[in-house]
Amino acid sequence: MVKKIFICPPNSLILSDIVERLGHEPLTMMCEIQGRMDPESSEDQSVFEPRRGLKYTPVEVPSGVRGRLSMIGGLIERAEAAIILEDTDFGFGCGGCARTNELIPYIISQQGIPYIKVQYPHDLESTKEMVREIKDFLTTLEERT
Amino acid sequence: MATLAKVEVIDVPSTETRMIIISPTSGITPEQLMTFASSCNEDVFLKETCYGLLLQGEGDVVRRVVRKIRKISPYALFSKQRGYPIGEKKKCRRGREGGMSGGPRQGFHQLEAECMLLDDIGKALESLEHDESGKAVKRNERMDEDTVRSLVSEILTVI
C-alpha cells in the first residue's frame, strides 16, 4: 500500500527518488510550494504564512522559523512515516535555519508516526548502508503502523 | 537599453513540473534525454538544462514520461518534483530584476551537493537490487533493560 512519507531535508532529491522507487509517495517542500503558489501574485514570499506556524511553535519564536514550519508542519501532519537524514554537510537542505532543523525531528516524534534516522553518506559503503536502511524501513512499514 | 523578451508562465491546471537529474559519471547527456523525451510524443513541455531535463504537464503524463526516460539507465537518472513551473517570473533568472544577474536559482546549491552523491546512490541501488538478501546493519542498537541492570550491578560490585 502506498504511504505518504515525509523526508527531511524536505527538498532532498536522493530521499525523494528512493521513496518513489520503493513505491511510496514522498511529501516534499516542492509539493507544498506547488500547491500554494499563486502564479498571478508578484509577491515572492506569498507561500509563507507565519501565523499558521503558531500551531507548532510558541509566539516568541522568530517569524522566520514560524514561516518555515507553516509549510513543513503541514507536511508532517499528513505524513504516515518519516525519514530523517542526519549529520549532513553544512548548508544541506532547504531550511537554512538551525532552529527549524532542530524542531522538525521534535514535531515528527510528537506526531507518533514511525520514523528512521539515517546518516549522511560519505562513501560508497555508507551510501549502501543508508539505502539498505531506508529500504528495510519502507518494506516493514505495514508492520510498524 | 535592451529589453528582455517577456517571460511567459505556462499555466496549465493540475500541472506538475519534474526535474530529471543525470548522474555525473553516467556519460548520458541532457541532449540525449531531450531527444528521447521529444520522441515520446506526449503532451509535455520540455526544457534542457545543465543537469538534465525539466518536464511540465499534467501529473499523470509527466510521471509516465519520467518512467519511460528512466528506462534508458535506471541507476543513473534521478527525478524529483519542482515547486515552480518552467519560466516562473519570480524564480527564473531571465525575468528577475537586473537581467541575468542575481546568482544561481534557489535550490541550485542543494542540487549541486546531491549530484556529487548520485554515482554512489546509483551503485547502492544497483547492488541492493542484485542482493536482496542484504540486511542493513543496525546502528546504535538499544540494550534491553536486563542487560543494563546486569551491567550496572557488575560495575557496582567492582566498586
Side-chain angles (χ1 to χ4, degrees):
Chain A
M1 191 184 161
V2 179
K3 298 260 185 196
K4 289 179 177 174
I5 316 290
F6 174 75
I7 55 170
C8 180
N11 66 338
S12 173
L13 158 71
I14 294 165
L15 294 181
S16 161
D17 189 273
I18 293 173
V19 169
E20 271 185 350
R21 277 172 198 258
L22 295 170
H24 295 281
E25 184 192 340
L27 291 177
T28 58
M29 186 65 107
M30 294 77 78
C31 315
E32 191 72 6
I33 288 175
Q34 197 161 49
R36 288 191 188 197
M37 209 197 54
D38 177 13
E40 300 302 317
S41 165
S42 59
E43 285 288 321
D44 196 13
Q45 301 297 321
S46 61
V47 288
F48 294 107
E49 293 171 68
R51 196 179 288 178
R52 283 179 57 177
L54 283 171
K55 195 174 174 184
Y56 313 103
T57 56
V59 72
E60 65 265 24
V61 168
S63 58
V65 178
R66 280 188 275 127
R68 287 169 171 93
L69 287 176
S70 71
M71 301 196 77
I72 299 167
L75 289 173
I76 298 172
E77 276 188 8
R78 295 208 302 275
E80 291 166 276
I83 299 169
I84 304 165
L85 198 58
E86 280 188 322
D87 299 331
T88 54
D89 282 349
F90 176 75
F92 194 83
C94 60
C97 170
R99 297 289 87 79
T100 310
N101 292 343
E102 280 172 9
L103 279 164
I104 292 171
Y106 174 72
I107 297 170
I108 291 171
S109 64
Q110 291 296 303
Q111 285 292 316
I113 53 172
Y115 65 94
I116 184 176
K117 289 182 177 179
V118 288
Q119 295 291 311
Y120 182 80
H122 292 282
D123 52 14
L124 184 58
E125 280 311 307
S126 55
T127 313
K128 281 182 182 175
E129 193 187 316
M130 184 197 81
V131 176
R132 265 196 215 113
E133 280 181 6
I134 294 173
K135 193 185 176 189
D136 284 352
F137 174 70
L138 293 178
T139 47
T140 57
L141 206 54
E142 287 288 333
E143 300 155 24
R144 287 167 194 260
T145 48
Chain B
M1 192 177 141
T3 51
L4 287 166
K6 195 183 172 188
V7 180
E8 285 182 16
V9 180
I10 303 152
D11 183 25
V12 184
S14 72
T15 189
E16 185 176 317
T17 314
R18 286 195 85 87
M19 309 159 91
I20 307 261
I21 297 102
I22 306 168
S23 175
T25 54
S26 66
I28 301 168
T29 62
E31 197 182 358
Q32 284 174 313
L33 285 191
M34 185 73 172
T35 315
F36 182 82
S38 308
S39 68
C40 287
N41 267 340
E42 296 277 9
D43 191 14
V44 285
F45 294 100
L46 302 167
K47 186 185 177 191
E48 190 183 317
T49 63
C50 56
Y51 52 80
L53 198 67
L54 285 175
L55 299 107
Q56 186 180 319
E58 279 189 45
D60 295 341
V61 183
V62 169
R63 281 190 286 271
R64 192 164 61 230
V65 178
V66 169
R67 276 200 295 275
K68 282 181 189 171
I69 292 174
R70 266 208 178 137
K71 282 178 189 165
I72 301 173
S73 180
Y75 305 112
L77 298 173
F78 296 82
S79 152
K80 80 165 179 178
Q81 204 177 341
R82 188 180 192 254
Y84 296 93
I86 297 170
E88 219 280 331
K89 280 179 198 165
K90 296 187 282 283
K91 297 292 159 193
C92 183
R93 289 183 65 205
R94 191 179 165 211
R96 264 196 256 164
E97 277 182 33
M100 295 295 279
S101 65
R105 188 184 67 78
Q106 288 96 325
F108 187 79
H109 295 301
Q110 166 81 4
L111 198 64
E112 193 181 22
E114 288 192 292
C115 262
M116 301 296 119
L117 295 170
L118 290 185
D119 192 30
D120 283 351
I121 294 281
K123 282 176 188 166
L125 284 167
E126 196 171 1
S127 72
L128 203 68
E129 197 82 12
H130 296 130
D131 178 28
E132 284 294 333
S133 60
K135 281 273 174 192
V137 182
K138 282 184 182 171
R139 289 178 294 107
N140 303 329
E141 198 171 344
R142 278 190 172 188
M143 283 190 285
D144 59 354
E145 198 181 325
D146 295 334
T147 321
V148 176
R149 274 180 201 279
S150 63
L151 276 172
V152 171
S153 60
E154 257 179 55
I155 293 163
L156 286 173
T157 50
V158 169
I159 293 167

